CSV table of all heavy atoms in Angstrom, one decimal:
chain,number,residue,atom,x,y,z
A,54,ARG,N,-22.0,17.0,-4.6
A,54,ARG,CA,-22.2,15.6,-4.2
A,54,ARG,C,-22.8,15.6,-2.7
A,54,ARG,O,-22.2,16.3,-1.9
A,54,ARG,CB,-20.9,14.9,-4.2
A,54,ARG,CG,-20.9,13.5,-3.8
A,54,ARG,CD,-19.5,12.8,-4.1
A,54,ARG,NE,-19.4,12.5,-5.5
A,54,ARG,CZ,-18.5,11.7,-6.0
A,54,ARG,NH1,-17.6,11.1,-5.2
A,54,ARG,NH2,-18.4,11.5,-7.3
A,125,ASP,N,-25.0,16.0,-8.7
A,125,ASP,CA,-24.0,14.9,-8.7
A,125,ASP,C,-24.6,13.8,-7.9
A,125,ASP,O,-25.8,13.8,-7.6
A,125,ASP,CB,-22.6,15.4,-8.2
A,125,ASP,CG,-21.5,14.4,-8.4
A,125,ASP,OD1,-21.2,14.1,-9.6
A,125,ASP,OD2,-20.9,13.8,-7.5
A,126,VAL,N,-23.8,12.9,-7.5
A,126,VAL,CA,-24.3,11.7,-6.7
A,126,VAL,C,-25.1,12.3,-5.5
A,126,VAL,O,-24.6,13.2,-4.8
A,126,VAL,CB,-23.1,10.9,-6.2
A,126,VAL,CG1,-23.5,9.8,-5.2
A,126,VAL,CG2,-22.4,10.2,-7.4
A,153,PRO,N,-27.8,16.1,-16.3
A,153,PRO,CA,-26.6,15.9,-17.1
A,153,PRO,C,-26.2,14.4,-17.4
A,153,PRO,O,-25.4,14.1,-18.3
A,153,PRO,CB,-25.5,16.5,-16.3
A,153,PRO,CG,-26.0,16.4,-14.9
A,153,PRO,CD,-27.5,16.5,-14.9
A,154,SER,N,-26.8,13.5,-16.6
A,154,SER,CA,-26.4,12.1,-16.7
A,154,SER,C,-26.4,11.5,-18.1
A,154,SER,O,-25.4,10.8,-18.5
A,154,SER,CB,-27.2,11.2,-15.7
A,154,SER,OG,-27.4,11.8,-14.6
A,157,ALA,N,-23.3,12.5,-19.8
A,157,ALA,CA,-22.1,11.8,-19.2
A,157,ALA,C,-22.1,10.4,-19.8
A,157,ALA,O,-21.0,9.9,-20.2
A,157,ALA,CB,-22.2,11.8,-17.7
A,186,LYS,N,-19.9,-1.4,-13.3
A,186,LYS,CA,-20.1,-1.4,-11.9
A,186,LYS,C,-20.8,-0.1,-11.5
A,186,LYS,O,-20.3,1.0,-11.7
A,186,LYS,CB,-18.8,-1.5,-11.1
A,186,LYS,CG,-18.9,-1.6,-9.6
A,186,LYS,CD,-17.6,-1.9,-9.0
A,186,LYS,CE,-17.8,-2.0,-7.4
A,186,LYS,NZ,-16.6,-2.3,-6.8
A,187,GLY,N,-22.0,-0.2,-11.0
A,187,GLY,CA,-22.8,1.0,-10.7
A,187,GLY,C,-23.8,1.2,-11.8
A,187,GLY,O,-23.5,1.5,-12.9
A,189,GLY,N,-26.6,3.3,-11.7
A,189,GLY,CA,-27.4,4.5,-11.4
A,189,GLY,C,-27.7,5.2,-12.6
A,189,GLY,O,-27.8,4.7,-13.7
A,190,LYS,N,-27.7,6.6,-12.5
A,190,LYS,CA,-28.1,7.4,-13.7
A,190,LYS,C,-27.1,7.2,-14.9
A,190,LYS,O,-27.5,7.0,-16.0
A,190,LYS,CB,-28.1,8.9,-13.3
A,190,LYS,CG,-29.3,9.2,-12.3
A,190,LYS,CD,-29.2,10.6,-11.8
A,190,LYS,CE,-28.1,10.7,-10.8
A,190,LYS,NZ,-28.1,11.9,-10.0
A,191,VAL,N,-25.8,7.3,-14.6
A,191,VAL,CA,-24.8,7.2,-15.7
A,191,VAL,C,-24.8,5.7,-16.2
A,191,VAL,O,-24.7,5.5,-17.4
A,191,VAL,CB,-23.4,7.7,-15.2
A,191,VAL,CG1,-22.4,7.5,-16.4
A,191,VAL,CG2,-23.5,9.2,-14.9
A,210,ASP,N,-24.9,-3.6,-9.0
A,210,ASP,CA,-25.1,-2.4,-8.2
A,210,ASP,C,-25.5,-2.9,-6.8
A,210,ASP,O,-26.1,-3.9,-6.6
A,210,ASP,CB,-26.3,-1.6,-8.7
A,210,ASP,CG,-26.4,-0.2,-8.2
A,210,ASP,OD1,-26.6,0.0,-7.0
A,210,ASP,OD2,-26.2,0.7,-9.0
A,211,ILE,N,-25.0,-2.1,-5.8
A,211,ILE,CA,-25.3,-2.5,-4.4
A,211,ILE,C,-26.8,-2.4,-4.1
A,211,ILE,O,-27.3,-2.9,-3.1
A,211,ILE,CB,-24.5,-1.7,-3.4
A,211,ILE,CG1,-24.5,-0.2,-3.7
A,211,ILE,CG2,-23.1,-2.2,-3.2
A,211,ILE,CD1,-24.0,0.7,-2.6
A,215,ARG,N,-32.0,-1.0,-8.2
A,215,ARG,CA,-31.4,-0.5,-9.5
A,215,ARG,C,-31.2,-1.7,-10.4
A,215,ARG,O,-31.4,-1.6,-11.6
A,215,ARG,CB,-30.0,0.1,-9.2
A,215,ARG,CG,-30.1,1.5,-8.5
A,215,ARG,CD,-31.0,2.5,-9.2
A,215,ARG,NE,-30.6,2.7,-10.6
A,215,ARG,CZ,-31.3,3.4,-11.5
A,215,ARG,NH1,-32.5,3.9,-11.1
A,215,ARG,NH2,-30.9,3.5,-12.7
A,231,VAL,N,-21.4,-7.9,-6.6
A,231,VAL,CA,-20.7,-6.6,-6.6
A,231,VAL,C,-19.2,-6.6,-6.4
A,231,VAL,O,-18.5,-5.9,-7.1
A,231,VAL,CB,-21.4,-5.7,-5.4
A,231,VAL,CG1,-20.5,-4.5,-5.2
A,231,VAL,CG2,-22.8,-5.3,-5.8
A,245,CYS,N,-18.8,2.9,-12.9
A,245,CYS,CA,-19.9,3.9,-12.9
A,245,CYS,C,-20.5,4.1,-11.6
A,245,CYS,O,-21.7,4.5,-11.4
A,245,CYS,CB,-21.0,3.6,-14.0
A,245,CYS,SG,-20.4,3.6,-15.7
A,246,ALA,N,-19.7,3.7,-10.5
A,246,ALA,CA,-20.3,3.9,-9.1
A,246,ALA,C,-19.5,5.1,-8.5
A,246,ALA,O,-19.5,6.2,-8.9
A,246,ALA,CB,-20.2,2.6,-8.4
A,267,GLY,N,-17.8,6.1,-16.1
A,267,GLY,CA,-18.4,7.4,-15.8
A,267,GLY,C,-18.0,7.9,-14.4
A,267,GLY,O,-18.1,9.1,-14.1
A,268,ALA,N,-17.5,7.0,-13.5
A,268,ALA,CA,-17.2,7.4,-12.1
A,268,ALA,C,-16.1,8.4,-12.1
A,268,ALA,O,-15.2,8.4,-13.0
A,268,ALA,CB,-16.8,6.2,-11.3
A,269,ASN,N,-16.1,9.3,-11.2
A,269,ASN,CA,-15.0,10.3,-10.9
A,269,ASN,C,-14.0,9.6,-10.1
A,269,ASN,O,-14.3,8.7,-9.3
A,269,ASN,CB,-15.5,11.5,-10.2
A,269,ASN,CG,-16.3,12.4,-11.2
A,269,ASN,OD1,-15.8,12.8,-12.3
A,269,ASN,ND2,-17.5,12.8,-10.8
A,295,ASN,N,-16.0,11.2,-18.8
A,295,ASN,CA,-17.4,11.5,-18.3
A,295,ASN,C,-17.7,13.0,-18.5
A,295,ASN,O,-18.6,13.5,-17.8
A,295,ASN,CB,-17.5,11.1,-16.9
A,295,ASN,CG,-16.6,11.8,-15.9
A,295,ASN,OD1,-16.1,12.9,-16.2
A,295,ASN,ND2,-16.3,11.2,-14.8
B,1,NAD,P1,-26.0,7.6,-9.0
B,1,NAD,O1,-26.1,7.9,-7.6
B,1,NAD,O2,-27.3,7.8,-9.8
B,1,NAD,O3,-25.5,6.1,-9.3
B,1,NAD,C1,-24.4,5.5,-8.6
B,1,NAD,C2,-24.8,4.0,-8.5
B,1,NAD,O4,-23.7,3.3,-8.0
B,1,NAD,C3,-26.0,3.8,-7.5
B,1,NAD,O5,-27.0,3.1,-8.1
B,1,NAD,C4,-25.4,3.1,-6.3
B,1,NAD,O6,-26.3,2.2,-5.7
B,1,NAD,C5,-24.2,2.4,-7.0
B,1,NAD,N1,-23.1,2.1,-6.1
B,1,NAD,C6,-22.5,2.8,-5.1
B,1,NAD,N2,-21.5,2.1,-4.6
B,1,NAD,C7,-21.4,0.9,-5.3
B,1,NAD,C8,-20.6,-0.2,-5.2
B,1,NAD,N3,-19.6,-0.3,-4.3
B,1,NAD,N4,-20.8,-1.2,-6.1
B,1,NAD,C9,-21.8,-1.2,-7.0
B,1,NAD,N5,-22.6,-0.1,-7.1
B,1,NAD,C10,-22.5,0.9,-6.3
B,1,NAD,O7,-24.8,8.5,-9.6
B,1,NAD,P2,-24.5,8.8,-11.1
B,1,NAD,O8,-25.0,10.2,-11.4
B,1,NAD,O9,-24.9,7.7,-12.0
B,1,NAD,O10,-22.9,8.9,-11.0
B,1,NAD,C11,-22.1,7.8,-11.0
B,1,NAD,C12,-20.6,8.2,-11.1
B,1,NAD,O11,-20.4,9.0,-12.2
B,1,NAD,C13,-20.2,9.1,-9.9
B,1,NAD,O12,-18.8,8.8,-9.6
B,1,NAD,C14,-20.3,10.5,-10.4
B,1,NAD,O13,-19.5,11.4,-9.7
B,1,NAD,C15,-19.9,10.3,-11.8
B,1,NAD,N6,-20.4,11.3,-12.7
B,1,NAD,C16,-21.7,11.6,-12.8
B,1,NAD,C17,-22.2,12.5,-13.8
B,1,NAD,C18,-23.6,12.8,-13.9
B,1,NAD,O14,-24.0,13.7,-14.7
B,1,NAD,N7,-24.5,12.2,-13.2
B,1,NAD,C19,-21.3,13.2,-14.6
B,1,NAD,C20,-19.9,12.9,-14.5
B,1,NAD,C21,-19.5,12.0,-13.6
Side-chain angles (χ1 to χ4, degrees):
R54 176 172 286 194
D125 189 62
V126 171
S154 321
K186 183 169 180 179
K190 290 172 287 191
V191 177
D210 196 294
I211 46 168
R215 290 306 304 168
V231 164
C245 293
N269 282 310
N295 67 21

